Amino acid sequence: MTTEFARRDQRVLQGQAGQTYRVLLTGGRAPVTLDLARMLHRSGHLVFIAESMERHLCRTSSAVEQCVLVPSPRHHTQEYLSALEHWVKIWQIDVLIPMCEEVFYVAAGAERLRQHCRVLVSSLEQLHVLHHKYDFNMLAKSMGLSVPDTHLIQTPQEWLEKQHVLKGDWVWKPVYSRFAAKVRMPRLEGSNIVINKDENKNVNRRTEELHRPQISAPEKLNSLHHDPPGEDTLSLASPWVAQQYIHGRGLCTYSVVHEGHIVAHAAYDSRYRTGNVGASVFFEQVQHEGTRAWVEHFVWAAGFSGQIGFDFIEDVTGQVYAIECNPRATSGIHLFHPGNGLVRALLEPEVMLGEGIEVTPQSGDDKAMLALPMLGSGIRQIQSSRGSLRAWRTAWQGARDVVYVRQDRRPFFEQFAVVLAAWRLACSQQITLTEALTHDIEWNGEQR
């Protein structure tokens, strides 16, 4: 490491008062990246973006100093890492923070990147275990933490065998997946909000929403047998899991962790989603000691460092079960507006730990939403009860849109171009819109 970069790294570790950091964020397409870029800018830091998608939210933001188009992390990994290294040196970056699923590719090249700046990422080996839905489940279980009963399925024959052996109600999903893609849920008897989602066959039927705003008494579920996925989506390299279905409400957490210690944490309810089991579009902070204790135990035992999120189900007894882990930035970031505390947690975690500070969302800034997809959720409420529509209207009026900011309006209009570009790609590649938005950055166990 050169003397110049050694001085800069020491500056980051010391956390000098009033220091301006030069921060490189990847994943400029994501609302969480835009929100964090604005937080960093408000805190006086210089923000740079490296993104493999030509149109993205951060491209037009006044919070960003410069953006650069880089190769696809998934399809051109070495070229991507070389580009990151080049721009880290050109921009004299102090801290590199990967925000989306390109975190796995950044982890693969972390050793070379750390010669020039600090990289907020754990090892690729650890990230793989956390991302893999079965391996994560087994790791948490070995720590004595509560998780649903989960079975690994690697062949169509195993799939058929599990269908006959497993009793009760089960959720079926790939071990490498995101935004509930390809998830197959049990069929809820007598419900009018039930779908069975199979993207391979473009089938959409009704099934129970995985995350609910309120706990209800256990419903009666019909036994539902699913045909196995095609061989291109179920194999030894791309296995699935059958996971015990647990009745209850869904909760999510987001944490910034340094060497096993939590320095920032939020738990939130995400009752409104794209579709019924898709990505969350509304985020409301909740105080929940059960999930907080679960996360604290896990990250300490794992010795984790970086950003990490978990999806939980809380059953009718108050017991929480971790469904899966996202070892990257998640939408919990939106709850930390205006973000000075979160910025310090990301840039100066050692200082925060030394001061004994754990950052949590501020009162009054505990609700956020993605306005456009939230509108789509509102349209679905019209088809439901009058009370559901009234609750949605209250949620809408009490939350800030994380994309639209009066002093930084251009990203709001850029999001239409982002969706249009993704829609064109989806049509040309015959994939879903969600897949089009992540096709060039998603990681499915490669290079481990």
Side-chain angles (χ1 to χ4, degrees), residues 366-408:
D366 55 357
K367 295 180 183 178
M369 66 177 175
L370 301 174
L372 290 185
M374 183 66 171
L375 278 174
S377 178
I379 293 173
R380 290 195 300 276
Q381 304 309 312
I382 296 174
Q383 303 171 353
S384 188
S385 67
R386 184 174 301 176
S388 296
L389 182 59
R390 188 161 47 244
W392 174 88
R393 186 183 299 114
T394 299
W396 170 273
Q397 293 172 343
R400 72 178 181 95
D401 179 15
V402 301
V403 177
Y404 179 81
V405 172
R406 184 178 304 174
Q407 298 81 10
D408 188 28

Side-chain angles (χ1 to χ4, degrees), residues 236-253:
L236 294 177
S238 301
W240 282 50
V241 292
Q243 190 168 75
Q244 177 190 9
Y245 180 89
I246 297 175
H247 302 267
R249 69 161 174 169
L251 294 168
C252 302
T253 64

